[in-house]
Amino acid sequence: MPENRPAAAAGQASGELDVVIVGAGLAGLYMLHKLREIGISARIYEAGSDVGGTWFWNRYPGARVDVESQEYSYSFSPELEVEWAWTERYAAQPELLKYVNHVADRFHLRPDIRFSTRIASAIFDETRDRWTVTTDAGDTVSARFCIMATGCLSSAKQPDIPGADSFSGDTYSTANWPEVGVDFTGKRVGVIGTGSSGIQTITTIVPQVRELTVFQRTPSFSVPAKNGPIDPKVAADWKANREHYRAMQRKSGAGILQVSPNETLTFDASPDERRRAFEDRWARGGFSLLGAFADVNVDKQANDEAAAFVADKIRSIVDDPDVAEQLIPTTYPVGAKRMCVDTGYYQVFNQDNVSLVDLATTPIQAITPTGIRTSAHEYELDAIIYAIGFDAMTGALDRINIRGRDGLRLKDKWAAGPLTYLGLMTSGFPNLFMITGPGSPSVLANMILAIEQHVDWITDCIDHLGNRQLSVIEATPTAEQDWVAHVNELAEQTLYLQANSWYLGANIPGKPRVFMPYPGGLGLYRETCDEVVANRYKGFALTGPDQTV
Ligand code: NAP
């Protein structure tokens, strides 16, 4: 195996590369590392000034991962895994960013990353079977392969509220938080949005602020994280048995062992047993609640039981019964939107200086120079925090002018929703790979394991092509149609379609309502990808200078 070395040392001219990777988050970094292992020259272009992706941009107060730290870490290097020590059960953003930096340094990745450089376009040159990739500064590089490691939640939604520019106080976005941090001491702060980002921000800034006003359009189901210092026994056990745990993760549905799905059906248990199971999961913390029974995610009546349990918890925590009712989600099943994992969220509403504004009954009419006006009241504020989400899964790709065969723009091809084969490629765009693209498990799984599986697959594929003097791989339109139909069929068997979520693009006005991630689970998906390879890359057309294989 060739030594793992930077592209420059591989003797490549700066304008001609084997591979361009877009994004230096967890996906892009591992992709670069793997390509170097097979002697391929690659360069990452990254819009941010440093590595980290999600964990570089989302540095809002309280940002932390919602999967246990040891589970949400790279598995590819036993040495890395054994030497790194997490401090908390759910690592906070600064520690995650430190980890990503450590990985970049440990594997000497920085020489092949161009920071503060956004990719503006990627155009396929059919005469040369190469991608011409252009930066926002107008620099151009040519590459055989273009790999989009642009992230699923990296294109932040912009405030679309009338008067947003007129506010004379400070405005912040959780998705692009100032590096220096913000001190809200003595301020009247309004937070718009109560998804994961909003909830984590709210619980963290509440001790500082003079007054906090939470503007909630749709309540979230939120469960306690039960965060704290990592249990040394858990950390030691993970390291000692990492291979076993990693194998379990890879075979599992979500790649999150903490979910630990119970095989019993909800109504095979007595009401007492159900209650005990939910209590047990609530006490364990995190996503484990969704694993309390095998049918919580697929059977509405079973789901109603879990939802009712959470509703009772909210009622038991929040002192004011009216506020409690406003905080209880009633319009979608639990888990159909990404559940939030919090530290003391519902308790916040028992503080005198915190108020909840229910936008479902009193919508925002405008942002004014002094605050926010709803249909019922005007709220005077010193600062507004937008925690309003992302144009998920397709937003980051749409921002780039990606053009395949016949000049077709990806955004136009996907006008009615993303079309991919395995979430890895899209027909008409040869040699363009997506890491955790729409149609792959991605956001429904432990992202880091989903990333590793895609990166390993893509690396093997590029190696396969090189070993056989093949130059082009492209998804066939038939395989793509079948895959999209398969993903939709699987989604219809779940409760996901019953929520207006970002999984469906429902949070972005005008975005087609299409369920984007693959809901069949990471384990099954991995098997499918492996079978495709075993069947000579079934569903892909592989071509060389004068052959089709
Ligand atoms: P989100 O879940 O999409 O939440 C956005 C919130 O903003 C929703 O409450 C939404 O209300 C509200 N909103 C949007 N536009 C609005 C408007 N014009 N007026 C009023 N309210 C508006 O976004 P997020 O919180 O950034 O989380 C996105 C995903 O990122 C999560 O689901 C998760 O996968 C990931 N994440 C994970 C963590 C973690 O714990 N590790 C932390 C942050 C994010 P509606 O629901 O009514 O649209």
Side-chain angles (χ1 to χ4, degrees):
M1 180 181 292
E3 73 182 85
N4 199 328
R5 64 201 168 160
Q12 291 280 333
S14 65
E16 295 267 322
L17 289 165
D18 291 328
V19 179
V20 159
I21 302 166
V22 186
L26 292 163
L29 293 179
Y30 180 48
M31 191 75 245
L32 173 60
H33 173 71
K34 283 297 284 184
L35 288 172
R36 282 188 187 167
E37 274 186 357
I38 59 164
I40 293 281
S41 69
R43 182 181 300 146
I44 300 181
Y45 288 90
E46 166 57 51
S49 60
D50 211 337
V51 296
T54 281
W55 302 112
F56 175 86
W57 297 106
N58 292 270
R59 46 181 88 219
Y60 61 83
R64 69 175 67 247
V65 66
D66 53 7
V67 174
E68 288 188 355
S69 306
Q70 72 281 359
E71 296 209 41
Y72 185 85
S73 59
Y74 285 120
S75 71
F76 72 86
S77 162
E79 297 78 19
L80 169 68
E81 190 155 20
V82 169
E83 79 198 7
W84 184 263
W86 295 104
T87 66
E88 287 184 276
R89 184 176 177 192
Y90 302 91
Q93 177 270 338
E95 188 172 15
L96 289 156
L97 194 56
K98 199 167 144 199
Y99 174 72
V100 187
N101 274 275
H102 171 73
V103 171
D105 293 334
R106 194 187 191 289
F107 297 100
H108 315 292
L109 301 176
R110 291 179 193 280
D112 285 330
I113 309 176
R114 299 291 176 272
F115 291 109
S116 304
T117 308
R118 190 173 280 285
I119 293 304
S121 68
I123 316 276
F124 188 63
D125 177 353
E126 291 188 66
T127 61
R128 299 180 67 215
D129 285 342
R130 292 184 75 88
W131 284 90
T132 305
V133 179
T134 306
T135 71
D136 54 0
D139 295 332
T140 291
V141 67
S142 161
R144 285 178 56 216
F145 299 95
C146 185
I147 303 179
M148 294 296 171
T150 40
C152 295
L153 293 158
S154 51
S155 176
K157 201 179 142 179
Q158 299 307 311
D160 50 359
I161 303 171
D165 291 338
S166 72
F167 183 57
S168 60
D170 299 321
T171 54
Y172 303 96
S173 160
T174 49
N176 192 0
W177 199 261
E179 256 187 89
V180 291
V182 183
D183 182 5
F184 291 107
T185 306
K187 302 257 167 119
R188 297 165 303 173
V189 181
V191 176
I192 304 180
T194 51
S196 300
S197 304
I199 285 179
Q200 290 185 334
T201 304
I202 288 163
T203 49
T204 308
I205 64 170
V206 77
Q208 280 175 25
V209 299
R210 187 166 107 212
E211 281 171 21
L212 181 67
T213 311
V214 176
F215 295 88
Q216 170 194 275
R217 195 164 64 182
T218 312
S220 289
F221 284 98
S222 194
V223 290
K226 306 280 175 175
N227 189 34
I230 197 161
D231 181 340
K233 282 197 231 117
V234 170
D237 175 52
W238 185 272
K239 287 182 187 189
N241 298 295
R242 59 169 297 284
E243 279 180 34
H244 168 69
Y245 289 134
R246 291 306 195 177
M248 279 172 72
Q249 273 186 313
R250 291 190 190 109
K251 273 193 252 160
S252 70
I256 306 173
L257 301 186
Q258 190 195 1
V259 173
S260 169
N262 184 348
E263 283 173 15
T264 310
L265 297 175
T266 302
F267 297 106
D268 285 349
S270 70
D272 267 5
E273 286 167 339
R274 285 205 287 277
R275 181 92 204 162
R276 275 203 301 278
F278 289 134
E279 286 288 0
D280 169 52
R281 301 286 175 143
W282 184 269
R284 286 193 223 173
F287 292 131
S288 66
L289 185 87
L290 295 175
F293 293 100
D295 47 359
V296 169
N297 296 315
V298 290
D299 180 287
K300 181 65 169 63
Q301 266 184 306
N303 188 281
D304 286 346
E305 292 288 305
F309 173 82
V310 179
D312 280 348
K313 283 288 177 198
I314 297 171
R315 289 187 189 101
S316 74
I317 298 169
V318 179
D319 295 341
D320 182 329
D322 291 338
V323 174
E325 292 310 313
Q326 286 168 4
L327 286 165
I328 294 171
T330 54
T331 55
Y332 62 95
V334 59
K337 283 184 173 196
R338 174 86 167 202
M339 211 163 61
C340 302
V341 177
D342 73 83
T343 299
Y345 176 57
Y346 295 114
Q347 289 82 345
V348 159
F349 296 93
N350 294 335
Q351 291 192 202
D352 290 341
N353 62 341
V354 177
S355 39
L356 178 69
V357 179
D358 180 12
L359 301 180
T361 50
T362 59
I364 294 179
Q365 289 182 333
I367 309 278
T368 68
T370 54
I372 294 178
R373 191 175 70 238
T374 69
S375 61
H377 192 72
E378 180 136 8
Y379 298 86
E380 300 234 320
L381 301 167
D382 302 310
I384 297 176
I385 299 173
Y386 291 99
I388 56 175
F390 299 85
D391 183 354
M393 307 210 66
T394 54
L397 295 168
D398 282 352
R399 285 200 291 209
I400 304 171
N401 180 16
I402 302 171
R403 290 185 186 271
R405 291 196 191 281
D406 303 322
L408 178 63
R409 187 166 177 180
L410 184 64
K411 192 176 174 179
D412 294 333
K413 179 182 171 184
W414 286 5
L419 303 168
T420 73
Y421 178 38
L422 299 170
L424 278 161
M425 299 195 90
T426 183
S427 70
F429 294 76
N431 291 0
L432 178 88
F433 292 102
M434 291 161 279
I435 304 179
T436 63
S440 76
S442 56
V443 293
L444 297 182
N446 180 342
M447 276 305 285
I448 209 156
L449 289 190
I451 284 168
E452 285 188 329
Q453 187 264 338
H454 263 193
V455 168
D456 292 347
W457 194 97
I458 293 167
T459 307
D460 289 347
C461 174
I462 290 176
D463 204 27
H464 174 92
L465 294 174
N467 291 339
R468 285 161 186 77
Q469 279 81 48
L470 296 166
S471 49
V472 175
I473 178 166
E474 184 175 351
T476 67
T478 313
E480 179 171 288
Q481 279 159 22
D482 291 350
W483 184 252
V484 171
H486 174 59
V487 172
N488 286 333
E489 211 174 282
L490 289 175
E492 276 160 22
Q493 293 163 29
T494 70
L495 300 176
Y496 288 121
L497 304 187
Q498 296 185 26
N500 289 322
S501 69
W502 57 257
Y503 296 145
L504 280 151
N507 63 330
I508 303 293
K511 192 165 173 174
R513 192 182 171 90
V514 174
F515 190 76
M516 292 182 283
Y518 167 84
L522 198 57
L524 184 59
Y525 174 81
R526 178 185 302 274
E527 279 174 27
T528 308
C529 289
D530 291 348
E531 275 165 27
V532 164
V533 174
N535 286 301
R536 297 158 60 93
Y537 286 90
K538 188 162 183 255
F540 291 102
L542 276 59
T543 50
D546 3 79
Q547 57 183 317
T548 302
V549 178

